[in-house]
Structure formats: structure tokens, C-alpha cells
Amino acid sequence: MIFIENEGITDPRINLALEEYALRNFGESEDYLLFYINGPSIIIGRNQNTLEEINDEYVRENGIHVVRRMSGGGAVYHDEGNLNFSFITNYKKENLHNFKKFTEPVIQVLKEMGVDAEMSGRNDILAEGRKISGNAQFSTGKRMFSHGTLLFNSDLEEVTRALDVKMSKIESKGHKSVRSRVANISEFLNEGMSVSEFRQRLLDGLYRERDHFETYHLTNDEWKAVHELKDEKYGNWDWNFGRSPEFNIQRTKRFSVGEIDLRLDVKKGHIKNLKIYGDFFGRDPVERIENLLQGVRYEPADIAEALNGVDVKDYFGNVEREDFLSLVYGEDE
């Protein structure tokens, strides 16, 4: 097994690009192990509707990255207290969905540290009944990776805030996350250590399981290709938000002029259809607003730009522009 050194990069977009690049380009005669630590970010499962998983306003205000990964499963919060591992191997039918095979060496090292870790369900590692690791897999048909999180010393309050969805009336076919009772590994250790020390202890333990273990540093050309993949995919709105499954959302609010009820169909991140109902009194027909937003990205800046120069009071009465924009895309009341 060859250990891939990610050179201390904490940008989740680059780390996920590195993982995919290694999966698709590194030699099929070798197994690889990748560790990475991400800055504050939410990593969305491949088949999830991003807006069903995040506190969008909080995420924007706090500069938290939202990045879709290639594997399925639920949304997870990452920060500098969370260590991620990825085993990259040849695809074998018996290994797909066999999370135990890949997590067993990790569990063994945790046990050596005094953590009573165990596999639970299909893809979680628990300690004293609380989740400390979630795992997922992806296969190209020839190669595969099995990767997971290790909550070492994450800000669990930040996890709750970032994943506290504020746009609730969404219906989609996306795979909705099930929130588990989580804990940090550091709570179960008899000795204090930093996440970097924990990383080294884990790496040392995994080294012992292999006769041959070496470290690989990417070349400049390989890093260039990783950054290109990051720009094209993991740093791209279309992948992170636009790839969400088609969904419907209802947005309703009562103003002094009456109730405005919006029904939106969103496909590939764009407003496919919008109907406006309510008991308000306006001068102009709301069909113009509906038409202006047709095909627009369901994103605050794009919605605002599409309605640039429009006086919403002509359509709804005494309703402020910012209040209407917040109704189209914003937190629930």
C-alpha cells in the first residue's frame, strides 16, 4: 500500500479532486491510502439535494464550503478536528458495500488507543453508542475507494448549526440524511493529543498491517491536473448545487397586503416552473414575475439579477423588494 501525501491541504475542493484523480489515474497494481483534513465545510452525498441538507444562510454568512462528493450516503460537516481517510483499491464485487473490510484496521488502531470502537449497521463506527465515523464508497467498475470520516475533535455545536436546515418545505427524490448522535474520539482517549498526533498514531498503526508501505508525493504536473479537476468540478456550482435531484418547494408568507404563496419546481438547480398564488392586490399581472424567473439558477444573486429593475410593489402592493427576494429564497419564517 502506498500512502499519498496531500501536503497539508485543507481545501475540501482540492482534497476531493485529489481523491478522484488518484482513483482514476494511479497504477492499478497498487493500493493507496489518502488522509486529509478539511477546513469548515459540508460534504454532500452524490444523490442528495444540497438545500435539503444545509442551513444555507448560515453557511453563506460563515464562508463554509459546500462540496458534493462522488460517493453516496449522507451529508457530513468537516473542520480541522475531523480526519478523513480513503482506501483506493481495485474493484472487487465482494468489496463493494463491505465496509467492515476497510474499517477493521482503523477500528483496531482505535482500540489500541483505548477507544471501544465497533462497526454498527452498514457503514458507521460507534463508540459507546455514539457515532464517531461514517463511511461511503464509489466504484468506476475497475477501481474503487472506501472513505470515511473520523470525528476527533470537531466543533459539534457547529455541526448542528451548519446542518440545521431552514428551508423545510422541500420535496425531492434526494437521499435525505439521517442525523445520528455523534461524539468526538478525543472524549474516549485516556491521553490528550492533537489531531496531527492522532493522524500519525493511526498511520503508524496501519503501517504495521502491511509488509510494504511507502509515501508518494505528487509531481507538479499531477498537482496541476488535480487543480484543473477542482476548478472544473468540485469548485463548480453546477456540481455542488445544480446536480441536486429535481425538487419542488413551497414558500408562503403573510404580508400586510395579504398572503403570497410561491410554488417552485427546480431542475438541475434552475427554476423550471413558478406559480404565484395569494390574496394580495397588485396592479400588474404576476405572470411577468413568473416568466422572468423561468430558467434562472435557484441562487440568491441570480434571482436578484433577474428581477433587477422590477418594482415588486406593482405586482403585490406594499411589499419591499428584499422581503420578496427572501421569500423566493431564504429561511422559513
Side-chain angles (χ1 to χ4, degrees):
M1 179 169 282
I2 298 175
F3 177 67
I4 301 170
E5 177 55 67
N6 88 318
E7 313 297 350
I9 291 170
T10 59
D11 186 328
R13 301 165 299 179
I14 297 176
N15 283 325
L16 289 177
L18 170 59
E19 182 178 54
E20 181 178 349
Y21 180 83
L23 174 76
R24 298 189 185 278
N25 294 279
F26 284 11
E28 297 181 10
S29 60
E30 298 285 355
D31 294 340
Y32 292 88
L33 171 64
L34 172 66
F35 281 171
Y36 54 91
I37 295 172
N38 288 327
S41 51
I42 298 176
I43 310 302
I44 302 291
R46 182 184 183 93
N47 303 310
Q48 293 191 294
N49 177 1
T50 303
L51 291 180
E52 280 188 296
E53 302 299 328
I54 66 174
N55 182 340
D56 188 67
E57 186 168 327
Y58 184 83
V59 163
R60 291 175 186 274
E61 289 176 352
N62 290 274
I64 297 171
H65 287 298
V66 178
V67 189
R68 187 183 301 277
R69 63 179 185 268
M70 292 174 65
S71 61
V76 289
Y77 177 80
H78 287 182
D79 62 16
E80 289 88 348
N82 182 78
L83 177 65
N84 305 281
F85 63 87
S86 181
F87 292 99
I88 303 170
T89 65
N90 282 332
Y91 166 77
K92 293 181 181 178
K93 185 177 180 180
E94 61 269 23
N95 288 343
L96 197 63
H97 308 307
N98 183 2
F99 293 97
K100 184 176 181 180
K101 172 183 172 63
F102 295 99
T103 58
E104 190 59 41
V106 175
I107 290 173
Q108 185 57 44
V109 177
L110 289 172
K111 286 181 177 292
E112 291 173 5
M113 294 184 191
V115 181
D116 188 16
E118 61 177 348
M119 194 75 190
S120 176
R122 186 181 60 157
N123 60 335
D124 292 339
I125 300 176
L126 304 187
E128 298 182 15
R130 295 161 71 193
K131 182 176 176 177
I132 58 173
S133 171
N135 294 266
Q137 294 180 338
F138 175 78
S139 170
T140 65
K142 291 184 177 180
R143 298 281 279 173
M144 65 176 287
F145 62 64
S146 186
H147 60 184
T149 64
L150 286 168
L151 285 166
F152 181 75
N153 192 26
S154 283
D155 184 342
L156 298 185
E157 290 186 4
E158 193 73 352
V159 173
T160 301
R161 287 189 287 264
L163 299 177
D164 182 18
V165 180
K166 298 297 186 182
M167 297 174 70
S168 60
K169 294 179 182 178
I170 299 175
E171 294 184 8
S172 79
K173 297 179 181 179
H175 176 81
K176 189 77 176 71
S177 295
V178 177
R179 306 298 179 208
S180 301
R181 194 161 159 259
V182 297
N184 278 314
I185 292 167
S186 58
E187 297 178 37
F188 306 101
L189 297 175
N190 295 323
E191 57 179 313
M193 67 178 75
S194 66
V195 66
S196 60
E197 290 170 327
F198 172 69
R199 174 186 182 276
Q200 191 58 50
R201 288 279 292 273
L202 183 62
L203 190 58
D204 291 343
L206 294 174
Y207 263 82
R208 293 198 307 270
E209 299 294 317
R210 301 280 178 166
D211 295 329
H212 174 69
F213 208 124
E214 64 180 83
T215 299
Y216 181 75
H217 295 266
L218 274 71
T219 67
N220 289 337
D221 285 344
E222 287 171 332
W223 275 121
K224 181 181 178 183
V226 168
H227 279 267
E228 288 174 352
L229 180 57
K230 171 255 182 184
D231 291 339
E232 294 168 1
K233 185 172 183 177
Y234 295 102
N236 191 307
W237 183 92
D238 288 331
W239 169 254
N240 295 320
F241 286 84
R243 279 292 299 268
S244 292
E246 185 172 353
F247 66 92
N248 306 316
I249 184 168
Q250 180 181 0
R251 311 282 298 160
T252 305
K253 184 176 179 179
R254 179 158 291 281
F255 297 90
S256 62
V257 298
E259 184 178 83
I260 301 177
D261 181 356
L262 309 181
R263 310 294 175 94
L264 298 103
D265 299 329
V266 181
K267 185 175 183 180
K268 294 183 179 178
H270 293 72
I271 298 173
K272 177 183 176 185
N273 189 37
L274 167 65
K275 293 299 293 181
I276 302 174
Y277 304 96
D279 56 1
F280 50 86
F281 293 99
R283 186 190 70 192
D284 295 340
V286 296
E287 285 78 10
R288 183 179 177 228
I289 300 265
E290 295 171 350
N291 292 333
L292 285 172
L293 292 178
Q294 183 88 13
V296 172
R297 286 201 321 185
Y298 193 55
E299 177 81 357
D302 295 67
I303 293 168
E305 183 179 351
L307 297 180
N308 191 29
V310 173
D311 187 348
V312 299
K313 292 181 179 179
D314 292 341
Y315 301 89
F316 304 106
N318 190 26
V319 175
E320 297 298 329
R321 171 184 168 83
E322 290 306 316
D323 290 335
F324 180 73
L325 291 175
S326 180
L327 175 60
V328 180
Y329 189 116
E331 291 190 0
D332 295 340
E333 288 294 305

